[in-house]
Amino acid sequence: MKILICGKGGCGKSTLTALLAQAMSRDGYNVLVVDNDESNFGLHRQLGVELPEDFLNFFGGKKDLVERMKASFSTGEEVKFFDNRWEIADIPGEYISKTDNISLMAVGKIHDFGEGCACPMGVLSKHLIKNIDAGTNDIVLVDTEAGIEHFGRGVEEGCDALLMVIDPSYESICLSEKISSLAEAAGKDLYYVLNRVEGKTKTVLCEKVPEDRIIATLPVMVSVFKAGLLGEKFQVDVPEVEEICGFLKNISST
């Protein structure tokens, strides 16, 4: 399967991505994590690997991609990136950081002042995810940037399902309504994971978002928070994350 993880800034998208990757890896899955957030420089630390080279450099870098996009606009033809379908093993090794059964790739990052927008990363992400063939023992987890820019770029097209992380905030509740409508327009199944939710907070959120779409509720996890603060690898088994893994396995078999 190919699963896209979305939500507002700071809700816990990368945290869930890392925990899911580790849990699926322990279950014997071959996991590819696609870092699709040009502003996030911490996901690799949560997985315990080095930040890989930007994948957009495989195509000549951001400047070349911008020129190719301009050319495609003038001709009315879509930018073509791949001549053949890729399996995870086909991704060039210099753009991958690995640990256990987990491979991490970063589509692209903002490195310099004034370098321009992240549009080329979004276009490349869409084509990359659509072009990857996930085998029966593979799972691709796409960690997106905050908000809904990725919907505008069509990144969801190549994904099988969407997970939205909702934290206890009014902004998350409002965003869930927008993402629900966008997911429906994209023809993708959307599921919610409530994060940092306990007691009455859970009751309130379950009243504000469709409860039948909620597949897990994650409590405040002090050890995970501490590791994230220190930039250390997550080393914890979270029962609620295992529940999410079980859910994903079930829908992948239907």
Side-chain angles (χ1 to χ4, degrees):
M1 293 190 74
K2 292 184 276 190
I3 306 295
L4 182 138
I5 299 165
C6 60
K8 65 176 276 293
C11 66
K13 297 182 298 297
S14 297
T15 296
L16 178 61
T17 301
L19 291 173
L20 274 177
Q22 292 175 336
M24 296 299 281
S25 174
R26 288 193 296 269
D27 286 346
Y29 281 81
N30 182 34
V31 183
L32 172 65
V33 176
V34 179
D35 183 352
N36 189 46
D37 185 350
E38 69 279 352
S39 333
N40 184 348
F41 287 84
L43 176 58
H44 66 289
R45 299 298 297 268
Q46 296 170 349
L47 293 170
V49 298
E50 295 299 319
L51 182 66
E53 182 179 349
D54 290 356
F55 183 58
L56 59 81
N57 291 335
F58 179 74
F59 299 94
K62 188 175 181 181
K63 183 177 179 180
D64 281 6
L65 281 184
V66 170
E67 293 304 316
R68 290 174 66 175
M69 289 169 60
K70 288 179 179 178
S72 72
F73 291 148
S74 64
T75 62
E77 297 180 358
E78 192 171 37
V79 181
K80 184 175 176 61
F81 290 96
F82 302 95
D83 295 322
N84 304 296
R85 303 286 299 175
W86 282 12
E87 297 180 353
I88 294 177
D90 296 322
I91 301 170
E94 59 266 37
Y95 301 101
I96 291 284
S97 291
K98 296 196 69 172
T99 176
D100 302 321
N101 297 333
I102 302 172
S103 299
L104 170 69
M105 66 183 304
V107 176
K109 299 291 181 183
I110 299 294
H111 295 285
D112 301 311
F113 174 78
E115 71 173 71
C117 73
C119 300
M121 289 83 143
V123 172
L124 178 55
S125 296
K126 170 186 174 179
H127 288 268
L128 169 67
I129 296 163
K130 286 178 65 176
N131 192 67
I132 290 177
D133 287 327
T136 55
N137 203 45
D138 296 337
I139 184 165
V140 180
L141 301 174
V142 183
D143 183 26
T144 63
E145 75 275 24
I148 57 176
E149 170 72 14
H150 43 89
F151 279 100
R153 294 293 171 190
V155 175
E156 281 73 8
E157 284 185 24
C159 295
D160 299 300
L162 316 179
L163 296 184
M164 179 182 178
V165 182
I166 299 178
D167 66 3
S169 67
Y170 181 72
E171 291 81 3
S172 263
I173 294 170
C174 292
L175 187 61
S176 71
E177 298 173 357
K178 182 61 178 179
I179 287 182
S180 177
S181 65
L182 291 170
E184 183 177 0
K188 302 298 178 180
D189 292 327
L190 171 67
Y191 306 99
Y192 298 137
V193 175
L194 308 186
N195 188 32
R196 299 191 293 268
V197 174
E198 296 174 335
K200 292 182 179 179
T201 305
K202 178 180 178 180
T203 302
V204 171
L205 280 180
C206 288
E207 293 174 349
K208 297 294 184 180
V209 300
E211 193 167 3
D212 61 341
R213 293 190 189 178
I214 300 172
I215 63 171
T217 301
L218 304 181
V220 175
M221 297 174 284
V222 176
S223 61
V224 171
F225 174 80
K226 182 178 179 181
L229 176 63
L230 298 176
E232 297 176 348
K233 178 181 179 180
F234 290 166
Q235 300 189 60
V236 60
D237 293 341
V238 182
E240 293 85 357
V241 173
E242 297 291 345
E243 291 177 12
I244 301 172
C245 292
F247 178 85
L248 295 178
K249 294 173 191 175
N250 286 335
I251 63 173
S252 69
S253 62
T254 57

